Amino acid sequence: MPATGAATTLFVLTAVGLPAKEASILVVVEWILDHCNTVLNVMGDCIGVAMVYEFELEEEVEEIEVRRCLTRRRMKVKIRQWNGVASWLWVANDENCGICRMPFNGCCPDCKVPGDDCPLVWGQCSHCFHMHCILKWLNSQQVQQQCPMCRQEWKFKE
Ligand SMILES: [Zn+2]
Ligand SMILES: [Zn+2]
Ligand SMILES: [Zn+2]
């Protein structure tokens, strides 16, 4: 764009009644347009004015939009929102509960939500069960409380 480009733009700017301080933005616009060979001078002025106008309405959004339109190489991305995703696994020495045969990363047959609502417990024999399953099992034992896997006396591991 020739040196008269800026002057022309300022003239158009004054004609549409925008405040003079906004002209500083136009310096940037002119620089961008200088590097954009496909845009004609007249077109450039139109885009420049349109851009300042949009700037006043919605500064953040339009800045991204305009930069993307005028120069494809200088795209500025702003993260406006993000969602964290986390996953978890029980670390047990087996994959399934020896009582209900359901996976440890699922829950016992009485529960719907795995995790804190249906925790795992370990015995001192190192066998592991859904807490609900082992409690049900222990309550059903009349005489001595034994691990259903190894028949050792059941004691909860601290
Ligand atoms: Zn179970
Ligand atoms: Zn449960
Ligand atoms: Zn055991």
Side-chain angles (χ1 to χ4, degrees):
M1 182 175 288
T4 52
T8 316
T9 312
L10 279 172
F11 176 76
V12 178
L13 188 69
T14 319
V16 292
L18 288 166
K21 61 169 183 168
E22 300 292 341
S24 60
I25 299 163
L26 283 174
V27 178
V28 183
V29 179
E30 291 295 336
W31 185 89
I32 295 168
L33 291 178
D34 277 347
H35 293 76
C36 195
N37 334 346
T38 50
V39 181
L40 295 170
N41 285 355
V42 183
M43 273 295 290
D45 290 341
C46 293
I47 292 169
V49 173
M51 178 183 163
V52 173
Y53 190 66
E54 303 266 336
F55 250 99
E56 287 189 324
L57 294 176
E58 277 182 54
E59 221 166 290
E60 278 194 15
V61 184
E62 295 307 327
E63 186 182 2
I64 301 166
E65 297 281 317
V66 170
R67 276 172 187 249
R68 193 190 297 154
C69 292
L70 294 183
T71 59
R72 302 221 175 267
R73 281 165 298 167
R74 280 169 58 89
M75 194 163 75
K76 192 172 166 187
V77 178
K78 280 187 187 171
I79 297 165
R80 318 202 91 198
Q81 197 184 12
W82 61 278
N83 297 309
V85 178
S87 68
W88 59 270
L89 286 173
W90 285 112
V91 181
N93 43 11
D94 208 347
E95 285 189 356
N96 298 309
C97 171
I99 298 173
C100 69
R101 296 285 162 197
M102 298 295 276
F104 282 135
N105 291 320
C107 48
C108 79
D110 296 334
C111 290
K112 287 192 173 67
V113 185
D116 289 340
D117 287 345
C118 189
L120 304 190
V121 289
W122 279 260
Q124 284 184 358
C125 61
S126 83
H127 284 121
C128 170
F129 306 96
H130 293 115
M131 187 180 74
H132 301 141
C133 293
I134 190 67
L135 288 180
K136 231 195 288 178
W137 164 263
L138 294 175
N139 285 335
S140 72
Q141 300 293 294
Q142 309 290 315
V143 195
Q144 205 192 0
Q145 300 206 312
Q146 294 171 335
C147 169
M149 301 296 278
C150 65
R151 300 285 162 186
Q152 288 182 56
E153 191 188 352
W154 178 267
K155 285 200 175 92
F156 286 99
K157 202 172 178 180
E158 298 297 316

